[in-house]
Structures are given as C-alpha cells and as structure tokens.
C-alpha cells in the first residue's frame, strides 16, 4: 500500500493550518495595536471563531469516518475531493460565525475582552 500520497496530503494540511494560525495571530496582534479600529479587531475575532468552528467540524467528520472502509485506496481524485471538502468546511465555519453575531457569540466575547485588556474603550 502506497502511503506517499497520504503523507503529502497530511503535510499540506499541517502547513495550511500552521499558515492560517500564523495569519490569525498576526491579525490579532495588529488589531491589538494602539491605533486600531474596532472593526478590524472584531473581524480578527470572527476569523478566530471561524477557525475554531472549522476544527470542530473537521473533528466531527473524522468521527463519522470511523466506520468507513479502510481498504479504499486514496488516489489523486480522493485527494482532490478532500481538498474541496476542506474548502467547504472553511466556508461553513465562516457562515456559522457570521450567523452567530449575537452578544453571546465567541467572537463578540473575545472582542469585548480584548478591548478591555488593551484599554481600547
């Protein structure tokens, strides 16, 4: 069984998650600066919440695949399906974040706490 394709795909996912995490960290650091607008800070908080939702959805998907056929060979087509599935998960996570714009949303709570911590009030 050739696992080279799986290894490359796994490396791609790790790199993509690392890049996304660094991008969010940079945005949060930028948003925490002294001359930051509230909209940028809230946007960074929403992106962080979307990233968390994406990880939750991916975890749920993995548990659903526990009973899948382990003998299935993963080829190029399967890797492409996985890539587009990841893109879909990102979009669903972003929509879940935007639809939860209430006072109890994670992004709103982060935004309020960061404003308080960095004295942006």
């Amino acid at each position: 069984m050739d696992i080279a394709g799986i290894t490359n795909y796994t490396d791609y996912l790790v790199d993509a998650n690392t890049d996304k995490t660094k991008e969010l960290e940079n945005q949060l650091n930028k948003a925490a600066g002294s001359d930051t607008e509230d909209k940028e800070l809230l946007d960074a908080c929403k992106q962080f919440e979307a990233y968390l939702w994406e990880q939750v959805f991916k975890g749920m998907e993995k548990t659903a695949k526990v009973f899948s056929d382990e003998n299935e060979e993963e080829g190029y087509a399967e890797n492409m399906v996985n890539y587009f599935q990841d893109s879909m998960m990102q979009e669903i996570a972003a929509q879940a974040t935007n639809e939860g714009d209430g006072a109890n949303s994670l992004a709103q709570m982060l935004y309020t706490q960061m404003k308080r911590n960095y004295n942006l009030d």
Side-chain angles (χ1 to χ4, degrees), residues 46 49 53 93-108:
K46 284 183 179 184
E49 181 180 7
W53 276 116
Q95 287 179 2
T97 300
N98 289 332
E99 290 178 9
D101 275 348
N104 292 328
S105 75
L106 177 61
Q108 187 64 42

Side-chain angles (χ1 to χ4, degrees), residues 38-98:
D38 287 345
K39 186 178 182 305
E40 290 176 349
L41 180 59
L42 183 58
D43 185 51
C45 291
K46 284 183 179 184
Q47 288 182 14
F48 179 73
E49 181 180 7
Y51 176 74
L52 287 177
W53 276 116
E54 180 184 341
Q55 297 307 309
V56 168
F57 292 145
K58 285 180 181 179
M60 290 169 47
E61 179 188 22
K62 284 180 186 175
T63 61
K65 289 185 177 182
V66 168
F67 300 107
S68 67
D69 186 12
E70 293 180 11
N71 295 329
E72 293 180 16
E73 298 238 358
E74 288 196 25
Y76 176 76
E78 182 69 21
N79 287 338
M80 292 306 294
V81 168
N82 289 338
Y83 171 77
F84 288 113
Q85 195 171 24
D86 287 341
S87 297
M88 181 195 66
M89 289 289 184
Q90 291 172 355
E91 184 61 31
I92 290 172
Q95 287 179 2
T97 300
N98 289 332

